[in-house]
Structure formats: C-alpha cells, structure tokens
C-alpha cells in the first residue's frame, strides 16, 4: 500500500515537473518558431512549424533597429561592467584589508546603497543628468548603472577577499611592495572567480535594465534592447513575425550565457543571494 | 597586522572613487527626491513653488494610490505563495535522492526565464495573452474549455492577475535556485539520522529542511516583498496601468505623474512612499541576514 502510494506520488511529481518545464520552454520555442512565420501563417495556425522558414523576419528585425540596440546594449553593459569591476575591486580591497577608524562606517554607507530602490531616485537623477549635460548620452546610462551596481559588487568581492589568505600579500608588503602593486598583482588575480561572478550578475542586471534606459535617453539611436523593443512594437504593430523575431534575438544571448556559465552564476548567487 | 594596512590614508584612494559615485548618483538623488516632493514644479520650468505637505495630503486622498497599494500588496502575497512557497517545495523535491539525478536539468530550465529582461518577458506575454492569436487562449481551446477564453489583459477584473502570473512564471525558478543553494549546505548526517529515526519525507522536510534554511526563507520572503513594491517594467509594458487604472502600481504612478502629466512634485511624493516602504523592508532584511551569518 505504502509503495503504491509513493509510486503514485512520484508519478504526480514527474507530471507536475514535466508540465512546468513545458510551460517554461514552450512559450520560448513558440516565440522562436513564430518568428519564422508570415503574418498570415501565424494567424492561421499558432501551433505548427512554419511551412517556409522566413529568415527575412530575423534579418529584417535586425536591420530595422535590433542591430543598433544590440550594439548599444553591448557597449553600455561592457563599459559599465569594466568600471564596476575596477572601482568595485579597489573598494573591496580597501575595505577588506585596511583597518582604520571609520572603516566600518564607510562599509555601512556603501552597503546601504543595496537598500535603495531606483524608482525613488528616477526623477532627481533625470534632473541631475540634464543639469550636468549628460542626459541623452551613453554616460546617462553608464554612470547610474555603475553607481547602483557598485554596492552589490563590493559586497560580493569584499566577502571573497576576506577569505583569501594574506601571507603572500604580507610578505610582498614587507619586501617594500606598494599597496597598488599588491592589489594589482596579488589580490586581483586571486579574486578572479568572484570577479567573473560579479561581472555576470551585474552585467545581467544592466543588460536587462528598462526604466533608466527609457527615461535617461531620448534618441532612438542610443536605445538599449529592452526599450528599443518597445519602439519596434509600435513601428511594426502589424508585423507579428518580425516582432517575435526581435524578441527572440533579445532573449537569446542571456539564456545562452546562463546555460554556458551556470557555475559562475550560481557562485555569485550563493555569495550574494540578492535579487537583481 | 601590518602597519601599511592600519593606515587609513592609504586605504582611501582605493575606496574613494566608488564611494563618491555612490554618494553622488545613489544617495544624493534619493535625498533630493524627498526635498523635491515639497515643491510644485515641472520638467520644463526652472521655478519650483514650495507647497509643503500638500502633495502628501493629495496622495492619501487619491483613489488610484489605494488601487496601486492594493496591487503591489497582491503582487507581494501571490509572489510569497508561488515564489517562496512553491520554490521551497520544488527545491526540496529536487534535493530528494530520488530526484537529485534530474536536478541540474530541471533547475536550469526553471531558472531560464529569470535571466531574460522583464521588459522582453512582458512583451512576450502580451502576445501570449492576445485573445485572437495568443497561446494562452490557444491552450484553453485545445483542452476544450472554449468558454474560458478571454482577453486576459483587456478585462479590468483579470488584468492584474494576468500581470502577476507572469512574475510567477519568471521568478519561481530563481527562488528555487536560492533555496537549492541553501539546502546544499545542510549536513547530510541530519537526514541520515532522521531516516534512522523512521521519519518520512514530509516529516523530514518540516523537522530538518525548513529549520535549517529558515534564514534563507525569511530573506527570500523579504526580497520578494521588496520586489513587489518595485514592480514597474512588466506593468508598463503589458498594460501601462490599464484598462482604466486597474493595474496601476506605485512604480507606474510615478512614471505617469512625471513623464505623462508633468507633475514632478507629485511624482517625487509617490517615489518617496516607495522609498520608505522598500527601505524599511531592506533594513529588516539586513538585520535578518546578519543574524543568519552568526548562526
């Protein structure tokens, strides 16, 4: 009796997990598949595979804007992440090694940055960016992204640096090595794993960011993918195939990056446990 | 401790650049926001007229504010149920030795939606919910329940639930992953001991798994609630607060007041309310995760 019950239970769980997995994967496949259809075919049958694979939808979506948005996203994300890694690791080194009056206060101030919702600064940031002349430039995105992601990056890296043994650094310092050289030649190379995790997690948040990207930039030419897709929707409001092709192009890079680099993602999550 | 490391002056150059950026572009705007909420002003004029608490008085009489608060709270409640509750159960099953073999496959699939932009997911679901061409009604018709077919986002009764459902689709796998990470740290002797004692799986779940990861459950709950009060992208993309104002949340209220109605003072007032709610919850989270680290 007990075995029958537990068998039934196991089957139910399998059914549940399989349905859940289909519920995740099928909408994504539906998106990719319908991205290959003409409007007519899409209206006739949402389920079927396309009769004719319309690669034109994908190249067309790329040409009407996704290409440019893609470049903008890559540029903004790469520059932001590089600055975050540099300034974040410097601060994390400073805060994990040096002991001085006020160190705890500095750490507290930086980490409280984790607690502030971007909505609460949206309008004043918009004002500030306008008054310093950065509104509607790449920097209008890069600077706020860096500032908002730094607390998280510092939090991750500091915890990791604290766990690195210090013997090597101490002997280097006693030999007269400067702190800058210790940071650059010893701490950074040893911190590579956490730098990779921090880069992935902050990069993912920045790549996906929507609200700042919509408000701080006005020109279509400067739009990042999430906002650019909104433009595309109004521009192509009847061409569903091309719209879906655009969405598929936008979703794919992050999914591929996650599947390939899962371990680094998970390490970052396990060190941070913070939702983006 | 080396002398070099006790010198605050040599630490500052490392810390200062990051600190200044955070102070100028995170803290300063946050403080300015509160200050701005005491003025009537427009994006296009330099002049700001001091009005004191007037906008706060107005906000607490604005029926849309209560709709938004209700919607944000619904978001929080439903997300606790699905993301925290559901995520916990799924993680526990995936950690069970019968399913552990399949864990990498399922946790990868379940996590995938949370790496896609919320805006992209919102646009995708807007298509999926489309009454004529969308997959949602397609599935309903395919299983023969044609009368359930519905313009999910177009009906003010169902729109907010349709929007909230998307978040569950997107983020339940994220919570599952966090719980799996926490469960990996539970010593396996505890499970072996409880099996020798004759406990069944459900008893073990309540007697060992939950107490062992209770800090993560608390932190996860608070992260979820904070997230529910920061909601913006998906609502903006799928409904922009409509139909009527039925799906309005605090985030879209800020955007509408500022960039549609050009009432910057009112917008900053709503933003201040978001700040107070999320900040309070975050302080709570910081306290709890710190107590977790000491255990």
């Amino acid at each position: 009796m007990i075995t029958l019950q537990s068998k039934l239970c196991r089957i139910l769980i399998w059914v549940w997990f399989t349905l859940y997995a289909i519920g995740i994967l099928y909408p994504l496949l539906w998106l990719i598949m319908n991205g290959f259809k003409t409007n007519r075919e899409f209206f006739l049958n949402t389920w079927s595979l396309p009769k004719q694979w319309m690669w034109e939808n994908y190249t067309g979506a790329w040409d009407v804007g996704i290409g440019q948005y893609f470049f903008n996203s890559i540029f903004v994300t790469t520059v932001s992440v590089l600055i975050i890694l540099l300034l974040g690791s410097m601060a994390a080194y400073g805060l994990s090694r040096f002991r001085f009056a006020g160190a705890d206060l500095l750490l507290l101030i930086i980490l409280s940055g984790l607690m502030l919702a971007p909505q609460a600064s949206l309008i004043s940031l918009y004002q500030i960016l306008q008054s310093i002349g950065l509104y509607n430039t790449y920097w209008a995105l890069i600077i706020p992204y860096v500032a908002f992601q730094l607390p998280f990056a510092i939090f991750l890296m500091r915890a990791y640096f604290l766990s690195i043994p210090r013997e090597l650094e101490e002997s280097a310092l006693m030999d007269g090595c400067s702190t800058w050289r210790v940071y650059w030649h010893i701490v950074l190379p040893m911190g590579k794993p956490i730098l990779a995790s921090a880069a992935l997690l902050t990069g993912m948040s920045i790549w996906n960011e929507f609200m700042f990207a919509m408000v701080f930039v006005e020109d279509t030419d400067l739009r990042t993918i999430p906002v650019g897709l909104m433009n595309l929707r109004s521009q192509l409001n009847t061409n569903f195939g091309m719209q879906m092709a655009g969405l598929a192009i936008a979703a794919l890079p992050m999914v591929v990056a996650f599947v390939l680099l899962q371990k680094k993602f998970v390490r970052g999550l396990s060190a941070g446990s913070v939702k983006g | 401790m080396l002398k070099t490391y006790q010198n605050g002056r040599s630490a500052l150059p490392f810390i200062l650049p990051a600190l200044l950026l955070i102070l100028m572009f995170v803290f300063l705007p946050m403080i300015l926001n509160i200050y701005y909420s005491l003025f009537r002003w427009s994006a296009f004029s330099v002049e700001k007229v001091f009005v004191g608490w007037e906008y706060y008085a107005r906000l607490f009489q604005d029926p849309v504010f209560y709709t938004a608060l209700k919607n944000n709270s619904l978001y929080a409640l439903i997300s606790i149920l699905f993301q925290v509750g559901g995520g916990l159960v799924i993680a526990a099953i995936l950690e069970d030795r019968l399913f552990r073999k399949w864990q990498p496959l399922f946790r990868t699939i379940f996590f995938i939606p949370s790496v896609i932009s919320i805006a992209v997911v919102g646009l995708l679901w807007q298509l999926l919910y489309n009454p004529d061409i969308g997959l949602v009604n397609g599935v309903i018709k395919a299983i023969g329940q044609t009368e359930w077919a519905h313009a999910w986002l177009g009906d003010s009764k169902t729109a907010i639930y349709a929007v909230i459902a998307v978040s569950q689709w997107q983020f339940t796998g994220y919570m599952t992953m966090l719980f799996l990470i926490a469960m990996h740290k539970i010593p396996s002797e505890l499970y072996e001991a409880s099996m020798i004692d004759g406990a069944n799986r459900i008893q073990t779940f309540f007697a060992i798994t939950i107490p062992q990861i209770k800090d993560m459950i608390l932190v996860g709950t608070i992260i979820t609630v904070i997230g529910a009060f920061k909601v913006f992208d998906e609502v903006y993309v799928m409904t922009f607060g409509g139909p009527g104002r039925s799906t309005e949340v605090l985030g879209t209220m800020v955007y509408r007041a500022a960039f549609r109605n050009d009432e910057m003072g009112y917008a900053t007032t709503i933003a201040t309310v978001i700040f107070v709610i999320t900040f309070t919850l975050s302080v709570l989270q910081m306290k709890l995760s710190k107590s977790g680290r000491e255990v």
Side-chain angles (χ1 to χ4, degrees), chain B residues 93-111:
Chain B
I93 295 171
L94 287 176
E95 270 294 276
D96 192 280
R97 62 190 161 75
L98 288 174
F99 285 89
R100 205 172 290 162
K101 194 168 63 165
W102 298 96
Q103 188 191 111
L105 176 72
F106 281 118
R107 70 161 191 230
T108 305
I109 295 174
F110 297 166
F111 192 82

Side-chain angles (χ1 to χ4, degrees), chain A:
Chain A
M1 215 34 206
I2 291 163
T3 50
L4 186 73
Q5 228 175 19
S6 73
K7 220 176 215 167
L8 195 71
C9 210
R10 221 187 300 175
I11 291 169
L12 279 177
I13 290 172
W14 266 107
V15 172
W16 169 27
F17 277 19
T18 312
L19 284 177
Y20 183 18
I22 293 172
I24 298 278
L25 292 178
Y26 191 71
L28 297 172
L29 287 175
W30 180 84
L31 178 73
I32 297 170
M33 195 173 73
N34 285 308
F36 282 106
K37 288 182 190 168
T38 60
N39 252 355
R40 210 181 105 74
E41 199 187 344
F42 172 53
F43 277 106
L44 281 176
N45 194 347
T46 0
W47 301 91
S48 68
L49 281 172
K51 281 196 205 74
Q52 240 185 328
W53 294 76
M54 294 269 299
W55 284 97
E56 297 93 300
N57 282 343
Y58 280 83
T59 54
W62 183 265
D63 289 336
V64 295
I66 296 289
Q68 178 66 34
Y69 306 143
F70 212 89
F71 167 78
N72 293 338
S73 279
I74 287 181
F75 181 78
V76 167
T77 307
T78 312
V79 174
S80 307
V81 168
L82 288 176
I83 301 175
I84 289 166
L85 290 185
L86 179 71
L87 300 187
S89 62
M90 278 164 52
Y93 170 65
L95 290 165
S96 67
R97 293 300 191 256
F98 295 85
R99 288 274 100 218
F100 54 93
D104 290 336
L105 182 69
L106 284 183
L107 182 68
L108 186 73
I109 293 174
I110 288 176
L111 291 192
S112 17
L114 280 170
M115 310 202 277
L116 302 175
Q119 274 94 340
S121 64
L122 178 74
I123 293 156
S124 10
L125 257 179
Y126 169 80
Q127 284 287 104
I128 292 172
L129 292 167
Q130 268 183 332
S131 65
I132 57 179
L134 290 180
Y135 175 74
N136 202 28
T137 64
Y138 286 126
W139 294 104
L141 298 180
I142 293 170
I143 294 174
Y145 288 165
V146 170
F148 270 86
Q149 294 292 328
L150 266 175
F152 176 57
I154 293 171
F155 168 69
L156 281 187
M157 294 187 212
R158 179 181 162 273
Y160 190 87
F161 289 173
L162 283 174
S163 72
I164 300 178
R166 296 174 195 197
E167 283 79 20
L168 209 57
E169 290 164 52
E170 293 187 348
S171 61
L173 286 169
M174 289 209 278
D175 289 346
C177 207
S178 76
T179 48
W180 290 98
R181 286 179 62 104
V182 168
Y183 157 74
W184 193 256
H185 291 291
I186 300 175
V187 175
L188 265 196
M190 289 181 81
K192 261 187 201 156
I194 203 68
L195 290 179
S197 300
L200 270 172
L201 288 175
T202 57
M204 185 178 88
S205 312
I206 293 168
W207 182 271
N208 288 337
E209 205 282 334
F210 180 71
M211 190 177 63
F212 284 178
M214 184 169 62
V215 174
F216 299 157
V217 155
E218 205 178 355
D219 288 352
T220 314
D221 286 351
L222 297 175
R223 295 265 185 236
T224 52
I225 291 186
V227 188
L229 284 168
M230 300 286 291
N231 284 10
L232 214 65
R233 177 178 65 176
S234 39
Q235 205 180 324
L236 300 170
N237 60 46
T238 52
N239 191 341
F240 287 103
M242 211 182 266
Q243 271 186 57
M244 283 188 269
L247 286 176
I249 298 175
L252 221 55
M254 277 299 136
V255 175
V256 172
F258 164 66
V259 173
L260 291 179
L261 305 169
Q262 237 189 96
K263 274 206 179 113
K264 295 191 172 72
F265 256 93
V266 173
R267 179 179 41 227
L269 285 179
S270 106
S273 299
V274 176
K275 202 169 186 173

